[in-house]
Amino acid sequence: MEHKNLTQALSTLRIKDQNFDFASFSADSFRVQDIIDKASSDIVLRLDTGAARNEGSQSCDQISNLLSSFQRLDTQLAELESQVQSRCTTLQDGVAADEAAHLARITVAERELAALTMTLRALETRGDNLTSFASRVGVRLQTVDHQRRRALRAAEALQHLAAFSRSEDLSSLPEIFQDDDRMEEAASIAAQLSTAVGKAIQSSYGGGGGGNGDGGGGDEDGGTAYNASSSPDPKFSPSRFRGHPAPGTLEAAAEQLELYRNVLDNRIVSKFDLAVSSQNFPVMAHCARIMAAAGAHGDSLLISRYISTRPLFSQPIIDYSNGGNSSNATDPRSPSPPIQQQQQQSQLSTKLSSPSSSSPSASTSDTAAVAAMRSLTELYSKLSSAIRDEAVVMEQVFLDCGKAVAALVERIFEQIVQTALETSLKPPAADASLDTSAELAGQGGGLVPTELADAACGTALDRYMNLELAWLGGLGNQKLKTAKRTLQKELILDFISMNEEAVKRCVQVTPAGAAASAIRMLFHSGSNNTSTTIMGLSNKKAIATTTQACLLGQAGTHMLLGLGGAADRCVSRLAGAFKPDLGANRDAAARSEATASLGTLLQAIAQVTEMSFMLKQHFDRVIGPLVALSQLESIACVEGLAQLVAAIDARTAAALERTLHQLFRKVAATLVAEQSKHDFRPLNSDRAAVRTTSTMSSTTINNNVGGIDTPTEACLSAVALLRAVGQQTAAHLHGSNLSSFLNAFSRRTAAVVETHAVRFIFSPEGALRWRRDVREFATCMNELGARAAAPAFEDLFSLAGLMIVPPESLPGLLDGVGHLEKARVRAIAERREDWKTARVGDRPLHALFS
């Protein structure tokens, strides 16, 4: 009964204590005595009436027991609290001590690391010093080894020189000079010894003057000249006719060396002649190498002998007196028969005595001139073919093929071409006219002979310039059609050679007063057709029909057509997207693509630049001195060159602009073809993985999940192509041309990247990856030295942030892109995937960009 009353009192106490809650409960505020006092006071009030008073006395013991229990519990709780606080204090002290010890160890480790770093730097410095010392030692060892080899060669040369100075007969020379297999080495040694001995003798005799009685004069014994065409007996010594020098002297060595070289040259020449007759090219090449090592003359003797055996100089090619008919050809070097000369003189006399008959004779003269031109054209064609054939052989035989071909061409011009020109282009009745002028001058006519000659030949030479220009124009147009819009350096050389020959003829047959004007017409006619062709070349049909007679017209047409053809081929190759084959190396494929496309155009530009320089050299060497006396004609020639250079610059700029346009169309097509929408808006699983990673640290986003730090495949393909194009450009362009190209190149790259971005919808993760692509493009441009678009790429980085941050952060970013056009900023912001749904406060996103 008492227990029930106590329980009811306690429950009543809990109900009435409205201030008690678990939030305010703590170990310090909980007092068991307070609860007991409050409960006991309430119970006393309840037990103070009637029968309860009697029952309360019976339960006092129970309450006392309960009170003691609560007191004991209070005491135990206080002890427990004290123990917990003591242990916490001990633990804190231990942690502080451990932390101090750890910091002390870290400090010691940092000092040791600093000491180790200094030690490593000292070791690195010592290593560098050791490497430098070893390098110097290596250089000195190489120098010593080089000097040792020179000393050995000098000792060997002295031994050979001693052998030559003491030998009475060539058969007593060392084995190297007897062995046919080592003939090349022996020839080189003999040439060096001969040069050294000649210098020594010259210095010993005071520069070659005077000599002793035994050795002969210094001018005779000291030289190294020899007659390779003679065939001396091996035992013959030229000094026997001048007296024997003392054995062991330099004079004796010089005589034996001269004799040995003569014998060696004759043996080689004989062997070479036999090889030429049997067409044994390896033996011919071996003989040429020996002669090249034999001394200053080199293989010139063999080149001359080989050229003299060519059928080109022993058999006639074209009969110039028979209208160019090669079937009845005679030697063009033979003079005209006396009967022909008498007929020509009689025709001249008839012309001079009968001026009224000039019309039929002019027609006959034109026919003969056309026939002569045809014969010359046929001659040049055959000579060109023959020179090409001989050049192939000379390349296999002679070490200096260019020297051999030059000698062949010079011989052809001296013996064939000049004779052909003199025979075919001789003005009609010129000899008779000169004879007549001389006769008139002898009779005292009072006129200067040159004036009489000009007056007599004037009628015959009136049509010379028209015929010359017509022939040059026809031949030039034929060569232009053969070229087919492909640049050929050989064609420019042909044009220059044709012009130089025409200038020589012009100087010979044109009166002195008209020579400058005629030469200018051959170099730059200044006609409307030619000027239009040089400046524009807009009408391709006119090119095939317009006669290009002057040099600048022919060369300019070829260069501009070649540039246009190269640009067309480049643009055609750049069509479509760049897609490397499966499994192929992307960078190698990009380099191949750049070489086959832009490399073709850049190589053509380099060729045109070289051709322009060749034309300027021709003007400075040939045309300029001849027209210098006429200021107007000289200015006209310079203006013609300036027009051609301006036209080439304009065509080059247009070709590069067209190529750049097509290149970035290819880059855009590559990005579209290779880019996936999931690159910039990944699937939910990828996005969740990236978000999970982003909660760990900001650096994890850039390095781990979802490939955010890896450029997309489309970006890698486009960058590989752009890098290859930039490298190809740097290999061909230089200076300001390269800088201008790279500036335009980088700006267009930034524009293409931004244009490509507006084709896709971006999630925040996708925007991070697009910014990585932008960084890859910017790095590529920086590596190529194209830094003009660096601000543009920085703007793209800022614009990418508009798609990365949450909507509530957008207002803070707008200040960073405030310098950009609002339409451009809005176009990028609209690519957010939450553009239509997100809000900033109570405003939609588009309200921020209005």
Side-chain angles (χ1 to χ4, degrees):
M1 185 65 180
E2 294 83 357
H3 179 69
K4 291 182 179 179
N5 292 334
L6 179 60
T7 302
Q8 184 179 1
L10 291 175
S11 63
T12 304
L13 177 63
R14 285 196 297 269
I15 294 173
K16 289 181 179 181
D17 190 7
Q18 301 295 332
N19 296 325
F20 177 80
D21 55 6
F22 288 101
S24 62
F25 176 78
S26 65
D28 295 332
S29 62
F30 178 74
R31 304 290 297 177
V32 178
Q33 185 66 41
D34 294 339
I35 298 176
I36 295 173
D37 293 341
K38 192 173 182 179
S40 61
S41 62
D42 192 22
I43 293 173
V44 170
L45 290 177
R46 290 177 179 271
L47 298 178
D48 196 20
T49 60
R53 184 177 301 169
N54 296 325
E55 295 177 359
S57 61
Q58 297 177 1
S59 59
C60 287
D61 296 334
Q62 297 179 357
I63 293 173
S64 299
N65 294 332
L66 180 62
L67 179 60
S68 62
S69 298
F70 278 122
Q71 290 176 348
R72 187 173 59 255
L73 178 62
D74 183 30
T75 302
Q76 293 176 354
L77 287 174
E79 293 177 355
L80 181 60
E81 179 182 3
S82 176
Q83 293 176 2
V84 169
Q85 290 180 351
S86 176
R87 291 185 180 182
C88 289
T89 303
T90 303
L91 181 61
Q92 290 178 352
D93 295 339
V95 170
D98 292 341
E99 183 178 3
H102 181 65
L103 290 176
R105 287 194 296 270
I106 290 177
T107 303
V108 174
E110 289 179 348
R111 287 198 297 267
E112 292 178 352
L113 178 61
L116 180 61
T117 303
M118 294 297 295
T119 303
L120 291 177
R121 289 179 180 175
L123 289 177
E124 184 178 0
T125 302
R126 292 182 180 180
D128 293 339
N129 295 335
L130 182 60
T131 302
S132 177
F133 177 74
S135 177
R136 291 195 299 270
V137 171
V139 172
R140 292 181 181 179
L141 289 176
Q142 290 179 355
T143 303
V144 171
D145 183 66
H146 177 67
Q147 294 176 351
R148 181 184 63 82
R149 290 197 299 268
R150 288 185 59 187
L152 291 176
R153 288 196 298 268
E156 185 180 3
L158 290 175
Q159 292 177 359
H160 294 321
L161 183 61
F164 273 103
S165 64
R166 294 187 176 90
S167 65
E168 295 291 338
D169 193 287
L170 295 180
S171 59
S172 61
L173 292 175
E175 182 181 359
I176 186 176
F177 300 101
Q178 309 293 335
D179 189 357
D180 290 344
D181 295 335
R182 304 177 65 183
M183 196 176 297
E184 182 177 354
E185 182 181 358
S188 177
I189 294 175
Q192 295 175 4
L193 291 177
S194 179
T195 302
V197 169
K199 292 181 179 179
I201 293 177
Q202 184 178 4
S203 62
S204 64
Y205 288 108
N212 55 25
D214 295 335
D219 291 336
E220 295 178 357
D221 293 339
T224 59
Y226 55 92
N227 184 9
S229 61
S230 61
S231 300
D233 186 83
K235 298 182 180 180
F236 170 77
S237 175
S239 62
R240 294 180 181 177
F241 294 96
R242 303 190 297 268
H244 289 289
T249 61
L250 291 177
E251 289 80 3
E255 283 192 356
Q256 292 299 318
L257 282 170
E258 180 182 355
L259 178 61
Y260 174 77
R261 294 181 68 184
N262 283 334
V263 173
L264 180 64
D265 288 349
N266 282 279
R267 290 174 59 190
I268 297 302
V269 170
S270 301
K271 189 175 181 181
F272 182 81
D273 291 340
L274 292 176
V276 170
S277 61
S278 61
Q279 296 295 309
N280 192 339
F281 296 141
V283 176
M284 293 168 60
H286 180 65
C287 294
R289 288 195 301 270
I290 296 175
M291 291 297 290
H297 295 284
D299 53 357
S300 301
L301 178 61
L302 297 187
I303 292 175
S304 177
R305 294 186 69 86
Y306 176 78
I307 292 175
S308 63
T309 62
R310 297 302 86 201
L312 196 65
F313 303 100
S314 59
Q315 299 178 3
I317 299 178
I318 296 175
D319 184 7
Y320 308 99
S321 64
N322 193 24
N325 187 3
S326 59
S327 60
N328 297 322
T330 58
D331 191 348
R333 292 170 292 174
S334 61
S336 302
I339 297 177
Q340 285 188 342
Q341 294 180 356
Q342 295 176 2
Q343 291 177 353
Q344 291 177 358
Q345 293 176 359
S346 62
Q347 290 176 1
L348 174 63
S349 302
T350 304
K351 286 183 179 182
L352 293 177
S353 61
S354 303
S356 61
S357 62
S358 59
S359 178
S361 63
S363 176
T364 304
S365 176
D366 292 345
T367 303
V370 172
M373 292 298 178
R374 289 176 179 173
S375 65
L376 287 177
T377 303
E378 183 180 358
L379 172 65
Y380 290 162
S381 176
K382 292 184 177 181
L383 289 178
S384 177
S385 176
I387 291 174
R388 289 191 180 93
D389 295 341
E390 294 297 338
V392 174
V393 178
M394 290 178 174
E395 187 177 6
Q396 302 178 20
V397 174
F398 300 106
L399 296 179
D400 192 352
C401 176
K403 176 182 175 182
V405 174
L408 174 63
V409 173
E410 182 179 2
R411 185 83 170 270
I412 289 175
F413 269 85
E414 290 177 354
Q415 297 189 8
I416 299 178
V417 176
Q418 290 184 0
T419 303
L421 291 176
E422 292 173 359
T423 304
S424 300
L425 299 180
K426 182 181 294 184
D431 295 337
S433 299
L434 293 176
D435 293 341
T436 304
S437 64
E439 183 180 356
L440 292 175
Q443 294 177 358
L447 297 176
V448 181
T450 55
E451 296 178 354
L452 290 173
D454 292 342
C457 298
T459 303
L461 297 177
D462 282 343
R463 297 174 56 84
Y464 160 72
M465 184 54 64
N466 293 333
L467 291 173
E468 185 74 69
L469 292 175
W471 177 68
L472 291 175
L475 187 59
N477 275 3
Q478 182 179 3
K479 291 179 178 294
L480 288 174
K481 292 178 182 178
T482 305
K484 295 180 180 180
R485 303 185 71 195
T486 302
L487 288 172
Q488 299 178 5
K489 180 180 177 181
E490 294 77 9
L491 188 57
I492 299 296
L493 292 175
D494 290 345
F495 287 150
I496 293 176
S497 177
M498 290 164 48
N499 182 261
E500 189 169 354
E501 294 173 3
V503 168
K504 290 181 181 179
R505 293 192 295 268
C506 181
V507 172
Q508 292 177 354
V509 302
T510 304
S517 177
I519 292 171
R520 191 267 304 161
M521 292 180 65
L522 294 174
F523 183 72
H524 172 51
S525 64
S527 62
N528 293 333
N529 288 338
T530 303
S531 299
T532 302
T533 302
I534 292 178
M535 293 303 296
L537 279 179
S538 59
N539 187 356
K540 295 183 180 179
K541 294 183 179 179
I543 296 172
T545 58
T546 302
T547 300
Q548 300 294 329
C550 66
L551 174 61
L552 293 187
Q554 294 172 342
T557 300
H558 176 62
M559 289 189 287
L560 296 181
L561 284 177
L563 271 178
D568 290 343
R569 292 188 291 272
C570 179
V571 170
S572 176
R573 183 60 186 259
L574 288 174
F578 171 59
K579 295 182 179 180
D581 295 335
L582 185 63
N585 184 278
R586 183 188 287 111
D587 293 335
R591 287 193 295 270
S592 176
E593 184 75 15
T595 302
S597 56
L598 185 65
T600 303
L601 177 60
L602 294 175
Q603 186 177 4
I605 293 174
Q607 288 179 334
V608 167
T609 303
E610 183 181 2
M611 293 174 182
S612 302
F613 183 71
M614 292 165 57
L615 292 175
K616 184 180 181 303
Q617 283 185 324
H618 174 69
F619 173 78
D620 295 337
R621 180 174 56 88
V622 178
I623 305 299
L626 296 178
V627 300
L629 297 179
S630 175
Q631 185 176 5
L632 294 178
E633 303 300 343
S634 179
I635 292 175
C637 292
V638 174
E639 288 180 349
L641 271 175
Q643 290 176 4
L644 177 59
V645 172
I648 291 173
D649 290 343
R651 177 57 60 86
T652 301
L656 288 175
E657 176 67 24
R658 182 184 173 195
T659 302
L660 272 179
H661 178 72
Q662 185 64 26
L663 170 65
F664 283 100
R665 288 185 62 182
K666 185 180 188 70
V667 172
T670 301
L671 290 173
V672 171
E674 299 292 329
Q675 201 79 69
S676 171
K677 64 180 180 180
H678 297 301
D679 291 339
F680 300 140
R681 199 177 186 186
L683 300 176
N684 293 333
S685 59
D686 298 336
R687 194 179 306 176
V690 173
R691 288 200 185 102
T692 302
T693 308
S694 64
T695 60
M696 297 172 61
S697 65
S698 58
T699 57
T700 310
I701 294 179
N702 294 330
N703 297 316
N704 290 326
V705 181
I708 292 179
D709 195 52
T710 302
T712 61
E713 288 297 319
C715 170
L716 292 176
S717 297
V719 167
L721 180 61
L722 292 173
R723 182 178 290 110
V725 169
Q727 293 171 352
Q728 191 69 224
T729 304
H732 290 84
L733 299 182
H734 306 281
S736 59
N737 293 333
L738 177 61
S739 300
S740 301
F741 182 88
L742 291 179
N743 289 339
F745 184 69
S746 60
R747 293 191 187 98
R748 294 199 182 194
T749 300
V752 166
V753 173
E754 183 174 357
T755 303
H756 178 67
V758 300
R759 296 189 176 99
F760 296 90
I761 300 297
F762 291 84
S763 66
E765 297 82 7
L768 283 172
R769 196 168 193 193
W770 179 66
R771 188 166 65 174
R772 180 63 183 86
D773 285 356
V774 173
R775 186 191 309 162
E776 189 72 14
F777 282 104
T779 302
C780 174
M781 294 299 105
N782 188 55
E783 290 175 354
L784 296 175
R787 301 180 178 85
F793 284 109
E794 291 295 334
D795 292 340
L796 291 180
F797 268 80
S798 300
L799 291 174
L802 298 177
M803 299 182 293
I804 297 174
V805 301
E808 57 271 15
S809 301
L810 282 174
L813 289 181
L814 292 180
D815 295 337
V817 294
H819 63 286
L820 303 178
E821 298 178 0
K822 292 184 178 181
R824 182 181 173 190
V825 176
R826 181 187 175 99
I828 294 296
E830 287 179 350
R831 298 293 94 195
R832 292 177 60 101
E833 64 178 356
D834 59 353
W835 172 258
K836 297 181 180 180
T837 60
R839 303 179 69 86
V840 179
D842 57 348
R843 300 171 60 192
L845 290 185
H846 63 80
L848 297 176
F849 300 91
S850 59

